[in-house]
Amino acid sequence: MYSSISDIDLWNAFTSGDQQAFSDLFKRFYPLLFQYGTKITTDSSALEDAIQELFIELWQKRETLSVVSVRSYLLQALKFKLFKLFRVKSPLVNREELEETVFDISHETFLINQQNEHAQSNAIIAALNQLSPRQREVIYLKIYKGLSYEEISLVMNINYQVVRNLLCQALKTVRKLCRFILLPALSLIA
């Protein structure tokens, strides 16, 4: 129901007591919160409990909550909730020590991610180079410059539907080419 509205508008609907907005807020942010939480703890059960507790507390305090950025507020709230959980388990550890030891991304993880990103970038560039000039122009105008279909149709002096078709065909081609290019590249990294 609320899939097309901004985070802050969804938040405002939730704080007004809209249960559907609350449900959509949970669905929208659960994957991000879970992924972020896995960087802090490997205990997925405790992480899921923490996220659920966070949303229960949000519902209970909804009338008093005001935020500027929903995403940063939820991430920060989850981080504090997890740190509180760790303090209960090990009360002698202070917050600074906990932050330094818990959120650890190894150098190997960084290098692997960097290699994966490099392989993906090369695959996308190779795929884009195989498109027709008009397809590349549509992708550039729509994705990189954020123009609307109507604006692109004016810039390229072509029909609105032709713009949509060109973009759709270009994206299908890029996906298909990237899949074929990335599979061998990723096997070299692994």
Side-chain angles (χ1 to χ4, degrees):
M1 179 174 175
Y2 288 107
S3 61
S4 63
I5 69 169
S6 71
D7 293 346
I8 200 70
D9 289 337
L10 181 60
W11 180 268
N12 290 335
F14 145 68
T15 58
S16 298
D18 186 330
Q19 290 181 347
Q20 182 62 48
F22 177 67
S23 175
D24 288 359
L25 189 71
F26 181 84
K27 290 174 188 171
R28 183 179 292 186
F29 287 101
Y30 181 85
L32 172 70
L33 293 170
F34 189 84
Q35 184 180 26
Y36 179 72
T38 60
K39 304 296 184 206
I40 298 172
T41 183
T42 57
D43 186 346
S44 60
S45 178
L47 174 57
E48 288 175 357
D49 290 345
I51 294 171
Q52 288 177 2
E53 287 176 25
L54 171 63
F55 276 88
I56 290 168
E57 291 172 10
L58 288 174
W59 182 257
Q60 292 169 342
K61 299 176 183 177
R62 70 186 175 278
E63 296 168 348
T64 61
L65 298 173
S66 102
V67 300
V68 175
S69 167
V70 178
R71 180 176 302 198
S72 61
Y73 176 83
L74 291 174
L75 290 171
Q76 183 181 36
L78 177 62
K79 180 179 176 181
F80 289 141
K81 184 162 277 311
L82 289 171
F83 285 165
K84 184 178 177 182
L85 175 70
F86 288 124
R87 267 184 284 170
V88 168
K89 288 182 178 179
S90 179
L92 298 176
V93 178
N94 70 30
R95 182 172 169 233
E96 289 80 23
E97 289 174 8
L98 191 58
E99 284 187 12
E100 288 177 15
T101 59
V102 172
F103 201 92
D104 184 32
I105 299 176
S106 70
H107 183 65
E108 291 81 17
T109 302
F110 174 75
L111 289 176
I112 290 168
N113 287 341
Q114 192 175 28
Q115 288 174 338
N116 286 340
E117 288 173 10
H118 184 70
Q120 289 172 349
S121 294
N122 286 342
I124 291 170
I125 290 169
L128 288 173
N129 286 334
Q130 292 185 37
L131 297 177
S132 73
R134 285 174 44 147
Q135 288 175 323
R136 282 195 303 266
E137 184 177 5
V138 165
I139 285 180
Y140 174 78
L141 293 172
K142 182 68 179 162
I143 295 174
Y144 293 102
K145 293 302 178 186
L147 271 62
S148 69
Y149 291 112
E150 293 85 5
E151 292 170 322
I152 296 170
S153 123
L154 291 172
V155 169
M156 294 182 68
N157 197 26
I158 56 177
N159 179 298
Y160 171 90
Q161 190 58 46
V162 173
V163 171
R164 292 185 64 94
N165 293 346
L166 272 173
L167 183 63
C168 182
Q169 291 168 351
L171 292 176
K172 282 181 184 176
T173 302
V174 168
R175 278 189 208 105
K176 182 175 150 188
L177 290 171
C178 284
R179 187 177 18 199
F180 291 121
I181 295 169
L182 269 179
L183 289 176
L186 291 177
S187 67
L188 294 174
I189 293 171

